[in-house]
Amino acid sequence: MKPKVVLTRKLPDVTETRMRELFDAELSAHDTPLSSEALVAAMQEADVLVPTVTDKLTQDIISQAGERLKLIASFGTGVDHIDLAAAKQRGITVTNTPGVLSEDTADVAMALILSVPRRLVEGDGRARSGNWTGWSPTGMLGHRINGKRLGIIGMGQIGQAIARRAHGFGMSVHYHNRNAVHPAIEAELEATYWDDLDEMLRRMDIVSVNCPYTDATKGLVSAERLALMPEHAYLVNTARGEIVDEIALAQALEAGTIAGAGLDVYADEPSIPEGLRSLNNVVMLPHIGSATIEGRHAMGDKVIINIQTFLDGHTPPDRVLAAML
Ligand code: 8YV
């Protein structure tokens, strides 16, 4: 008997085909997020659940999982949607898909770092409006990227991939992290470590949020910290919306105490506060940091490898332990 693997969302065809060969795979019929009831039902019949960021696996939901459920093989890197302590208590292993989406997410972060100061989205609107009156020496002036200070909050794989790009664009790289990265990486990126986040925020031209969302990083970029940023500074968030106080961000942007923001993630997706949507000094994307065909295929491969390794009785390569966060 093949193990029952339940997918909560539509995954790439190549991933689903391979899953059907290997497992008794139940695919998502409608590709809409499952209700809590449907999620519980899935967890009662599955040996393995393959959720995504759109499934909130709370303690309550995990406590209703069936005896058969032994593995949650999440399709994604962030695991903030899974109560890891509850999974551990139920003896359920959790895996994710790190590494394969770092470069893609860094590309989107870099795109936002370029788009906001150089007013690219506004420029696109003007060019296609039919009202463009032509080039002028003082028209559509933005701010130079070269020579600016980029402060990265969270210097993991994605943070480092952004740092490499920013270095190539002539920015000076600064970062705040729980610990300094290896001296060889610091040397390669000419990166400066700031133990004190507040001190870093006071001095940066652009700040990029790239840490995981955990109890320790919830609301890390608070109203008080936003107030430390210079008036000409920009904030870019491609990590998780909950790390930034969105209401305070909207107020800071509205009041002009910071210059602009580039956002790919929001605290209560897919809903985005009206206070942010109505501002024109914000570039907003709909959580597409890792949305490449190549990345999705690689994520699917990782999920399959994690499941198969686990079923073969080994520790899956991307096992997530609460203590790792
Ligand atoms: C994924 C992400 O697409 O992997 C992550 O943590 O934020 C996304 O880019 C999503 O999580 C898939 O579940």
Side-chain angles (χ1 to χ4, degrees), residues 51-54 74-81 97 101 105 238-240 265 287-291 296 299:
T52 75
V53 69
T54 57
S74 195
F75 183 88
T77 298
V79 286
D80 45 279
H81 57 295
T97 62
L101 38 75
T105 307
T238 53
R240 284 290 182 269
V265 290
H287 199 147
I288 57 166
S290 68
R296 293 286 186 256
M299 289 163 76

Side-chain angles (χ1 to χ4, degrees), residues 167 171-174 185-192:
H167 190 242
M171 305 183 82
S172 68
V173 174
H174 302 255
I185 297 173
E186 271 195 357
E188 175 205 336
L189 300 169
E190 298 180 72
T192 304

Side-chain angles (χ1 to χ4, degrees), residues 53-107:
V53 69
T54 57
D55 302 299
K56 304 293 170 216
L57 298 179
T58 60
Q59 181 184 21
D60 179 45
I61 287 181
I62 290 175
S63 72
Q64 297 176 66
E67 277 303 307
R68 299 170 58 165
L69 188 77
K70 292 283 180 279
L71 175 66
I72 296 174
S74 195
F75 183 88
T77 298
V79 286
D80 45 279
H81 57 295
I82 305 171
D83 188 322
L84 295 176
K88 185 177 176 200
Q89 204 190 0
R90 283 296 304 258
I92 300 169
T93 298
V94 176
T95 60
N96 65 345
T97 62
V100 292
L101 38 75
S102 308
E103 300 298 330
D104 296 324
T105 307
D107 285 340

Side-chain angles (χ1 to χ4, degrees), residues 33-292:
L34 297 182
S35 65
S36 305
E37 295 74 32
L39 210 43
V40 168
M43 291 175 82
Q44 283 175 350
E45 57 162 6
D47 297 299
V48 178
L49 183 79
V50 180
T52 75
V53 69
T54 57
D55 302 299
K56 304 293 170 216
L57 298 179
T58 60
Q59 181 184 21
D60 179 45
I61 287 181
I62 290 175
S63 72
Q64 297 176 66
E67 277 303 307
R68 299 170 58 165
L69 188 77
K70 292 283 180 279
L71 175 66
I72 296 174
S74 195
F75 183 88
T77 298
V79 286
D80 45 279
H81 57 295
I82 305 171
D83 188 322
L84 295 176
K88 185 177 176 200
Q89 204 190 0
R90 283 296 304 258
I92 300 169
T93 298
V94 176
T95 60
N96 65 345
T97 62
V100 292
L101 38 75
S102 308
E103 300 298 330
D104 296 324
T105 307
D107 285 340
V108 167
M110 199 63 216
L112 289 170
I113 290 168
L114 298 173
S115 298
V116 187
R118 293 303 308 272
R119 303 169 62 182
L120 299 186
V121 174
E122 193 188 334
D124 174 86
R126 188 162 304 184
R128 64 176 74 238
S129 70
N131 301 325
W132 182 39
T133 51
W135 184 86
S136 88
T138 54
M140 290 245 32
L141 300 185
H143 283 281
R144 178 180 292 163
I145 301 300
N146 187 279
K148 292 294 184 328
R149 294 166 169 228
L150 174 68
I152 298 172
I153 303 177
M155 198 63 150
Q157 287 194 44
I158 296 172
Q160 289 177 33
I162 295 168
R164 281 198 302 279
R165 284 159 177 73
H167 190 242
F169 275 85
M171 305 183 82
S172 68
V173 174
H174 302 255
Y175 72 100
H176 169 77
N177 202 42
R178 276 177 308 185
N179 303 111
V181 297
H182 193 280
I185 297 173
E186 271 195 357
E188 175 205 336
L189 300 169
E190 298 180 72
T192 304
Y193 175 59
W194 294 78
D195 181 38
D196 187 331
L197 174 60
D198 294 0
E199 289 306 313
M200 183 176 90
L201 291 176
R202 282 185 222 277
R203 288 167 177 82
M204 295 300 119
D205 302 305
I206 303 178
V207 172
S208 176
V209 181
N210 300 105
C211 54
Y213 169 41
T214 64
D215 287 344
T217 63
K218 183 175 182 178
L220 185 71
V221 183
S222 58
E224 294 73 24
R225 289 207 166 101
L226 286 166
L228 300 175
M229 292 172 63
E231 275 184 18
H232 68 267
Y234 300 93
L235 182 82
V236 168
N237 187 4
T238 53
R240 284 290 182 269
E242 294 92 332
I243 301 166
V244 176
D245 180 335
E246 275 180 351
I247 303 302
L249 175 63
Q251 285 166 353
L253 290 163
E254 170 96 60
T257 61
I258 66 168
L263 306 173
D264 185 43
V265 290
Y266 310 90
D268 187 24
E269 297 178 9
S271 136
I272 304 175
E274 165 64 22
L276 279 176
R277 283 188 288 122
S278 58
L279 295 167
N280 58 17
N281 51 349
V282 187
V283 172
M284 292 197 287
L285 300 175
H287 199 147
I288 57 166
S290 68
T292 66

